[in-house]
Amino acid sequence: MPSGLPPAARLHRPSEYAAALKGRRIARGALFVVSSPRESSPGVRRLGLVVPKRHAPLAVTRNAIKRVIREAFRLRRDTLPDGDLVFRLVNRPAPASLTVLKRQVRAEIDTLLNRVAKC
């Protein structure tokens, strides 16, 4: 059985992203902003990712960032409040190796998820 994030735990439609991005900003870090829609569905925890090319020009970088966020969300999904979360990359990461970038992203995502869990 695959241990990845199931499709039901992800945002798919542009309208779902728009609702979350127009909603409230829950947390902000050096690289990411976490947003959530004002109204959430009970019992549902879903993830959305926005990693624009202007902040991460290489596809390898964008994919690595998304993979790290998905994994962190998957591991903490049961401890988070119900609702949709959209992680949006708002600043360009400093030039570094992919390993260093993944560690930096994971540390920030864990901090942001801790803040979200306390809300």
Side-chain angles (χ1 to χ4, degrees):
M1 178 155 219
S3 63
L5 196 61
R10 298 181 191 173
L11 296 179
H12 295 285
R13 296 190 171 97
S15 61
E16 296 168 342
Y17 278 92
L21 292 173
K22 286 181 186 175
R24 59 191 176 104
R25 187 171 77 185
I26 297 176
R28 180 179 175 90
L31 296 174
F32 297 95
V33 170
V34 183
S35 301
S36 179
R38 298 213 183 268
E39 298 177 11
S40 61
S41 305
V44 176
R45 294 175 193 98
R46 297 187 303 172
L47 174 68
L49 301 171
V50 179
V51 183
K53 274 186 181 180
R54 77 170 171 226
H55 295 310
L58 297 176
V60 170
T61 306
R62 291 191 304 277
N63 292 336
I65 290 170
K66 291 177 191 178
R67 203 173 301 118
V68 168
I69 297 171
R70 272 191 227 108
E71 180 64 11
F73 179 80
R74 184 185 70 82
L75 293 174
R76 300 279 311 270
R77 188 171 167 208
D78 295 335
T79 64
L80 297 173
D82 293 346
D84 300 338
L85 295 176
V86 174
F87 286 82
R88 184 168 45 111
L89 181 67
V90 293
N91 290 323
R92 184 180 283 230
S97 70
L98 210 52
T99 305
V100 172
L101 176 68
K102 287 179 184 179
R103 285 187 191 133
Q104 179 186 9
V105 168
R106 182 59 186 255
E108 183 167 331
I109 294 303
D110 286 340
T111 302
L112 294 173
L113 287 174
N114 286 336
R115 287 187 206 162
V116 169
K118 291 178 184 177
C119 289

